[in-house]
Amino acid sequence: MAVYLFTFILAFCSLFYELVYAQILSVCLGGTKNQYITIIAIFTFALGLGSIMQARMKKRFESRKLLFWIEFGLTVSGVVCPFLIVWILRPEHPEIFRNLAVYLSYFFVFLVGFLSGFEIPCLFDMVENAQGKVLAFDYLGMLAASVLFPFLFLPYLGTAAGLLVVVGFNILALIWLSIGNEGVKISLYGLTFLYMAGMIYYRTELNLVLSNLYLGGA
Amino acid sequence: MNLAFTVITLTSSFCSMAYSMLLASNMTEITGEEVISQCLTMGPYLLGLGLGSAYGDKIKPERRISSLWMLEWTSVLALPVMPIIQILFVFFFFNLSAPGVTVEGKLALSSMLSVTAILSFFSGVLGGAQLPLILKNEKGLTQEWTLAINYLGPLVAGISIVRMNQATVSLGIQIYLIGLVQILGLLLLVFNFEKALRSLILLFIPLIVLTATAFVYPDVETYTMKSLYMGTRISSEQIKNPSGFIKILKHYGDFERVRTPYQTIDLFIEPPEQHFGLPGNASVYLNRKPQFDLFSVDLYHETMVYSGLNFLKRIPENVLILGAGDGLLLKEFKEIKGINKITMVELDQMMIEWSNTNYFMANLNEGSMNPPAENVELIVGDGVSYLRNLRNKKFDLILIDFPFPNGHDLAKLYSMEFYQLVKRAMADDGVAIMDLPLYLDREEKLSFESKVIVKTLRAAKLGDPILFGGSASFIGFKSHGEKPRFDYSLVPEHLKLESALNLVTPFREDEISEKDWEEVPVNTMFWPKGL
């Protein structure tokens, strides 16, 4: 059952990160409708490339280990990249840097999709004869992200706090993948929930960090 | 054989995603809710893709080709019709509902979004079910290549839709172009698996459906929009005999729709009143939301310009106008001498062009932008970016004429960050005037949205604002300190009576005191709330 729960969580996190990118890029570059369309397109494409790449790498790496590193990458990029995007797209940077920054932003979008593409094939390898269920939970996770982002996370937590709470879910997956000892695992889960509660408590301040990065000290 | 599979893989993934994106774009345009429309279209699409793929996986090997054939036919016949179903739903929903039901209402919004989500889900199922059938076909490419090409489809779809939106290609044409790509896939399937000429002839059916859809769509869209603007309702009599109703929609008034890369501009001109010889009203809508009509246009623009001058108590040296691509604010400045420079920043080049060339608009703005006066600098660009890029330039008077904050994109222009940028651009004793949308609620109190705007202004640490205008309401503020004050002796005599009265009608102090405002949020770009 844990596999299905984490399949749901991983799919949820992946699409959530992309929606956060769409939100941030629509603030920094404008054109919400086109940003969302572009990002979903890049995400779907990168997702496919990631799953192809996993097929090539699975002979060399054990699936659980590979999935751990993938989730580690997604967690780090989830924390760093959205803030980085707001900073690199600031107008005081030289024009050539800003043009490159736009491409770099879309590369981050691609990266999340690409890494997420590894998830399902890895999870397939971890279960036997239940691939249909894994797929079902994966798509349900994505549906949940697309509904909860505009109706729950964005209005009640804002972009930054919502993102950092969801990073907590990714940390839960990392713990599940890497820690064997049940006691340690439960303690770490507890700490992660505490972290998520902290993010919710400081939601106003966290969103102001993005605002200040955007304004550059105005 | 490989080529056929490659093309079918690409076209099926491209088309299902592209139609889904069209549905999302259409819903965004109708509701003005960008984020919700996009999320609630893409989520069900991805779910449909997954469930379709699971369904396709279970199809028995001997039925794969026939199922692929059937799915292609279903897609090519059903997908192009979806945008029409979507717009027809909007039409019938409003015409069959009780008077007073609006697009902004929760029931209307949730119904429209639900229908769009179902259609998008169906599009995902059709796209997803085809992939396993192609993957498992021994005549096809390797699985890796098939997957790669399949995932290329959505990327191409995203780029194509964005490009077509930017090039303002009409929705009817977009439907047609995507449909042609889909028919190409079906054509290859016909050549490879159904060699009979009969099948080739059958291809005319989707071509006819597609052409009819693309041809009919603009009319359906026009009638739906006219119907929404007129607030029509169909009676039971008219359902039995709809020709009279359609005749009214077809012939009543003139309707013009201009799609730009940023917005949809609608101009609806009512016919003159025959009996008393009164002129018909004309209304301009941006993204389906009313902007002004013939009877309010002077009231709005005169109040905005002359309140700013009144607060400033002098002729400003540098004026900044944000928005106002209709040229109506610039028209007011024609009469005012002594201004060193007026900088106007408008995002939408097509809005300027339309306002210069459309007969109705060009008459209203008296050619104020065609060409602009010598002291006017017209900048086509994003107002927020302009303010972000300003270094040390300061303005004595800033007029902010943006559309109402309907939707996510526009709410950014009423955010704390934006107001901080405005503060940075204001001269020390400078004044800014902005439109205050949605002034009063049903109990004649300051509406929640207006409170959000006032509270957001205060969070940006601007000066105390003054709210004024009983008929068309505005906010005026300085960069710091006390609220601006009117000097009624300076109200020019040439103003129209309604403008002068509007100008000198400040809100009661108790209406804008922040007592009991704890629940009112501050709207920021990264935490959009309350608008």
Side-chain angles (χ1 to χ4, degrees), chain B residues 200-243:
Chain B
L200 202 60
I201 293 167
L202 280 178
L203 268 182
F204 280 102
I205 298 170
L207 199 61
I208 290 166
V209 170
L210 181 69
T211 310
T213 306
F215 188 72
V216 166
Y217 187 85
D219 281 343
V220 176
E221 189 185 53
T222 300
Y223 294 163
T224 304
M225 289 307 135
K226 279 175 92 171
S227 167
L228 285 178
Y229 294 145
M230 290 194 284
T232 58
R233 293 292 183 272
I234 305 176
S235 65
S236 50
E237 287 282 306
Q238 287 164 335
I239 292 173
K240 286 176 203 158
N241 184 16
S243 59

Side-chain angles (χ1 to χ4, degrees), chain A residues 15 19 23-24 26-28 30-34 36-38 40-42 44-45 48-49 51-52 55-56 86 89-92 98 135 139-140 142-143 146-147 149-151 154-160 203-204 207-208 210-211 214-218, chain B residues 17 21 24-25 28-29 34-36 38-40 42-44 46-47 49-51 53-54 113 144-145 147-148 151-152 154-155 157-159 161-162 165-166 261 382 384-385 388-389 391 408-409 412 416-418 420-421 424 524-529:
Chain A
L15 188 59
L19 295 174
Q23 181 66 16
I24 286 176
S26 60
V27 169
C28 295
T32 305
K33 188 170 81 177
N34 286 343
Y36 272 78
I37 289 175
T38 308
I40 292 293
I42 295 175
T44 319
F45 174 63
L49 289 192
S51 67
I52 292 169
R56 294 186 172 218
V86 178
L89 289 172
R90 265 171 35 178
E92 61 262 34
R98 269 186 292 155
L135 264 185
Y139 286 111
L140 280 175
M142 289 208 198
L143 180 69
S146 68
V147 174
F149 178 75
F151 288 112
L154 195 56
Y156 294 103
L157 294 176
T159 312
R203 57 194 183 281
T204 307
N207 284 300
L208 278 178
L210 273 184
S211 297
Y214 174 82
L215 289 170
Chain B
M17 180 62 123
M21 286 169 169
S25 295
T28 304
E29 206 170 280
E34 297 100 341
V35 179
I36 293 174
Q38 294 295 328
C39 287
L40 290 190
M42 285 307 140
L46 292 171
L47 180 71
L49 210 58
L51 294 182
S53 170
L113 288 169
E144 277 184 23
W145 273 106
L147 273 178
Y151 288 117
L152 193 65
L155 184 71
I159 294 167
I161 296 287
V162 169
N165 282 343
Q166 284 169 343
D382 174 19
V384 182
S385 300
R388 282 183 92 191
N389 285 306
R391 290 288 173 256
H408 181 259
D409 257 351
K412 283 185 293 194
M416 186 188 71
E417 292 88 340
F418 176 73
Q420 284 183 337
L421 292 170
R424 200 159 65 175
T524 74
M525 286 187 179
F526 296 99
W527 195 355
K529 278 192 294 186

